[in-house]
Amino acid sequence: MSIPGDPREKVFRPGPAPLRSHLPVLGKTLEYVHDPLSAMARRYRDHGPVSDLNLLGRTWTALIGPDACQAALQNGDKAFASGPGWGYLVGPFFNRGLMLLDFEEHKHYRHIMQEAFTRPRLEGYTRTLAPLVDAGISSWSPDRAFQIYPALKSHTLDLATDVFMGGAEYAAPGELDRVNTAFVDCVQAANGYVRSTVPVPFTKWGRATRGRRLLEEFLRRHLPARRAKPGEDLFSALCQVADASGGIDDDDIINQMIFLLMAAHDTTTSTVTSMVYELGRDVEWQERLRRQCLALGPDPSLAELEELPDLALVMKETLRLHPPVPVLARKTVKDTEVLGVEIPAGRLTSVMPLYSHHMPEYWTDPEIFDPERFSEERREDKSHRFAWEPFGGGVHKCLGMIFANLESKLVLSALLRHFEWSVPLDYSPPMKNDSLPYPGDGLPVSLRPLSRVHA
C-alpha cells in the first residue's frame, strides 16, 4: 500500500497549464484531451459544479461533482436523454445500442436484454472464458519492456470472439484484425472534428463509417449459425431471447451486439491495463493477490471469483482512479434545473464522474492507490451515493458490469498465476484521451515468468 511521502503517492494538483486554442470550433476540446482530470478540477474551482463550455464546436453544460452528476443520472424529471447525447458523439456507429435508447423504449430493451445476463448465463460465460484466458495469457513471451495494453487488447478481442460469438473458426484470415480496427475507429469518432453523413477520407468520422459497415456485415453473416446452433455465447443468448420475446429483430440483435462488443472489449482492456499499472507499482498488493489466485487454480468458477474480496478491492480502487468512461453524454429534452442553475431544452450535457472520484471531500488522500478504502471497515464510497460511479448510474447503469468484472478478474488472475511484473515508481503513462483513455506508449512493464519456487 502506498504511504504519504512514498514515490507511489500521486499528488494531484490542478495540473499543467492547459493547451490554449483560439479556434472557436475547438473550444475547450484540446484542454480536455491534454488532461481531463485537471481540466475538470479547474472548471469546478473556477465555475462551480454547473457551467457551460465549448466542446467540438457546440455549447455543452458540464456537470461536475457527485451532486450535479446525481441530478442528471437519476433524472427525476426525465429531462436528460442519453440517446441524443451519445448520438452526437458516436450515434451513427453504435446506432440503437442500449446506451442510445431512452425512457420507455430503453426500459423495454433493457428488460429483454437482462435475460442474456442472468446468473446461469454468467456462469456459462465463465466456464467458456476461464480456460481461454489461461491459455492466452500463458502463451505470452516475457520481456523487460512488454507492452501490456496492445497485448491485452488483442487477447480480449479473441475472448470476445469466443464468449460473445461462440468461436472464430468461421472468420477469414485477417478478418479479426479488421474487426478490431473497426471497433477502434468507431470509438475514436467521438472526438472527430469533421462530421459528415458520408465517409470523408482521412477523417475519424469517415473511418468510423466504414468500420460500422464492416461490423454489420461480419455479424449479419454469422447470425444464422448462432440461431441454428446456439452455444454458451452472448450472440446465441441474444438470438434466443429475441426469438422468445418477439421484441427485437435481427437488426436489433446486430445493433446490440456491436454496442456490447465495444463496451466489453474496450472497458475490460482499460480496466486490466490500469490494474497492471497500479500493481506494478505496489509489490505488496501484487503478492497479496497472487497468493489467493494461485490457490484458486486456472479454471475458477463465478462463485470462486466472487469469494476473493481483495481482488474486488483492487478492482474498485483501480476503477476509481482510472474509470474507462470518465465522461457521460446527455442532452436535455426539456428545460430543467441542476443545483439552482437553469439548463435549456436541447442542450448537450457532459456528466463528469471522474472528478467525483478524486475529491478530498469524499476520499482520504484521493491520489493514493489504497484498495482498503473500499473495505467494510472504511467504505469511503459510501461518503456520497454518487462519489463512485465508474459504471454510470440510474436507469442507464451499465447492464453488463457484472460480466465486465468477471472477465477482468479472470484475466488479472491468470496474469498473477503466470507472471510477476513491475513498472518504475516515477513512470506515468502518457494517456491518449481522444476516445476512451489509453496509454499512448502501450504501457511497457517488466514482465517476468513466475519462478517455480514462487509458484
Side-chain angles (χ1 to χ4, degrees):
M1 182 185 303
S2 301
I3 58 175
D6 191 294
R8 288 169 289 189
E9 179 180 0
K10 294 174 285 189
V11 179
F12 174 70
R13 301 180 178 86
L19 295 177
R20 301 295 183 185
S21 172
H22 300 288
L23 300 175
V25 71
L26 297 182
K28 295 292 184 179
T29 307
L30 293 182
E31 183 180 346
Y32 173 86
V33 170
H34 178 55
D35 188 341
L37 182 57
S38 292
M40 293 176 195
R42 279 189 292 270
R43 177 150 293 274
Y44 186 84
R45 178 194 63 201
D46 297 341
H47 304 283
V50 185
S51 62
D52 293 342
L53 72 162
N54 186 277
L55 288 171
L56 297 169
R58 295 285 298 275
T59 298
W60 292 68
T61 294
L63 303 180
I64 309 176
D67 292 326
C69 292
Q70 180 176 8
L73 296 178
Q74 287 191 329
N75 201 15
D77 61 352
K78 292 183 168 55
F80 295 95
S82 181
W86 284 114
Y88 178 73
L89 298 176
V90 293
F93 318 117
F94 299 105
N95 181 45
R96 304 290 299 166
L98 189 64
M99 184 176 71
L100 281 79
L101 302 177
D102 286 289
F103 309 121
E104 288 304 314
E105 187 177 35
H106 172 266
K107 182 179 179 181
H108 169 72
Y109 278 84
R110 189 180 180 93
H111 177 73
I112 292 174
M113 291 180 62
Q114 281 175 338
E115 292 299 314
F117 294 98
T118 60
R119 181 77 184 189
R121 290 195 186 276
L122 288 168
E123 290 170 345
Y125 301 151
T126 307
R127 285 191 296 271
T128 301
L129 274 171
L132 296 171
V133 168
D134 194 72
I137 295 296
S138 64
S139 69
W140 286 0
S141 299
D143 191 283
R144 294 181 63 183
F146 187 87
Q147 292 195 349
I148 200 74
Y149 176 76
L152 284 171
K153 193 167 182 62
S154 175
H155 184 46
T156 54
L157 179 64
D158 291 340
L159 296 176
T161 304
D162 281 286
V163 77
F164 275 63
M165 300 184 59
E169 68 277 2
Y170 42 72
E175 190 170 25
L176 290 183
D177 290 338
R178 294 192 291 273
V179 168
N180 189 22
T181 300
F183 278 121
V184 173
D185 289 342
C186 288
V187 173
Q188 290 188 345
N191 278 334
Y193 300 122
V194 179
R195 295 164 181 257
S196 171
T197 56
V198 296
V200 179
F202 310 112
T203 66
K204 290 183 178 180
W205 207 255
R207 288 192 293 271
T209 300
R210 291 187 293 272
R212 167 72 192 206
R213 188 181 304 128
L214 184 150
L215 293 173
E216 285 185 4
E217 293 171 352
F218 179 78
L219 291 168
R220 195 177 299 278
R221 190 164 69 250
H222 302 300
L223 190 151
R226 293 299 93 204
R227 175 171 280 134
K229 190 178 179 181
E232 285 190 325
D233 57 276
L234 186 61
F235 206 2
S236 296
L238 280 181
C239 289
Q240 291 171 321
V241 168
D243 293 343
S245 69
I248 55 178
D249 59 19
D250 288 358
D251 288 339
D252 289 325
I253 294 173
I254 290 171
N255 289 331
Q256 300 308 330
M257 279 295 299
I258 290 175
F259 166 67
L260 290 170
L261 278 166
M262 178 276 296
H265 177 43
D266 274 347
T267 57
T268 298
T269 302
S270 175
T271 300
V272 180
T273 298
S274 297
M275 286 195 290
V276 168
Y277 169 69
E278 293 296 350
L279 292 175
R281 292 159 49 87
D282 198 315
V283 175
E284 180 182 336
W285 270 101
Q286 186 180 148
E287 289 300 314
R288 183 169 166 176
L289 291 189
R290 179 172 289 111
R291 287 193 296 270
Q292 298 173 16
C293 291
L294 284 170
L296 194 62
D299 295 315
S301 66
L302 177 59
E304 289 172 328
L305 287 170
E306 292 171 337
E307 291 172 0
L308 295 180
D310 287 348
L311 188 53
L313 295 180
V314 167
M315 177 171 289
K316 288 179 178 179
E317 175 69 341
T318 301
L319 288 170
R320 182 187 69 85
L321 290 166
H322 314 284
V325 185
V327 174
L328 305 169
R330 297 290 188 268
K331 188 175 184 179
T332 53
V333 294
K334 61 181 179 181
D335 294 344
T336 190
E337 182 180 293
V338 173
L339 303 182
V341 179
E342 295 182 358
I343 304 176
R347 173 62 55 80
L348 288 164
T349 307
S350 181
V351 184
M352 299 181 169
L354 171 63
Y355 186 62
S356 302
H357 293 187
H358 292 261
M359 296 177 72
E361 297 94 316
Y362 305 104
W363 306 96
T364 303
D365 296 324
E367 301 314 310
I368 294 176
F369 176 71
D370 180 10
E372 292 283 6
R373 73 174 77 247
F374 287 92
S375 65
E376 288 302 321
E377 295 76 19
R378 291 172 61 182
R379 289 307 302 266
E380 291 187 10
D381 55 311
K382 296 293 186 181
S383 59
H384 189 293
R385 186 174 178 180
F386 280 73
W388 184 79
E389 287 297 326
F391 297 102
V395 298
H396 278 94
K397 193 164 188 173
C398 178
L399 179 65
M401 64 181 180
I402 298 177
F403 173 84
N405 282 345
L406 79 85
E407 184 179 11
S408 297
K409 289 177 180 178
L410 282 169
V411 174
L412 186 68
S413 64
L415 269 166
L416 288 162
R417 288 194 306 272
H418 290 287
F419 301 103
E420 56 185 0
W421 65 90
S422 60
V423 297
L425 294 181
D426 60 354
Y427 163 73
S428 182
M431 299 303 293
K432 298 287 187 179
N433 299 292
D434 53 351
S435 58
L436 300 184
Y438 66 97
D441 62 352
L443 207 163
V445 303
S446 178
L447 189 71
R448 303 174 295 277
L450 199 61
S451 68
R452 291 184 177 181
V453 172
H454 196 156

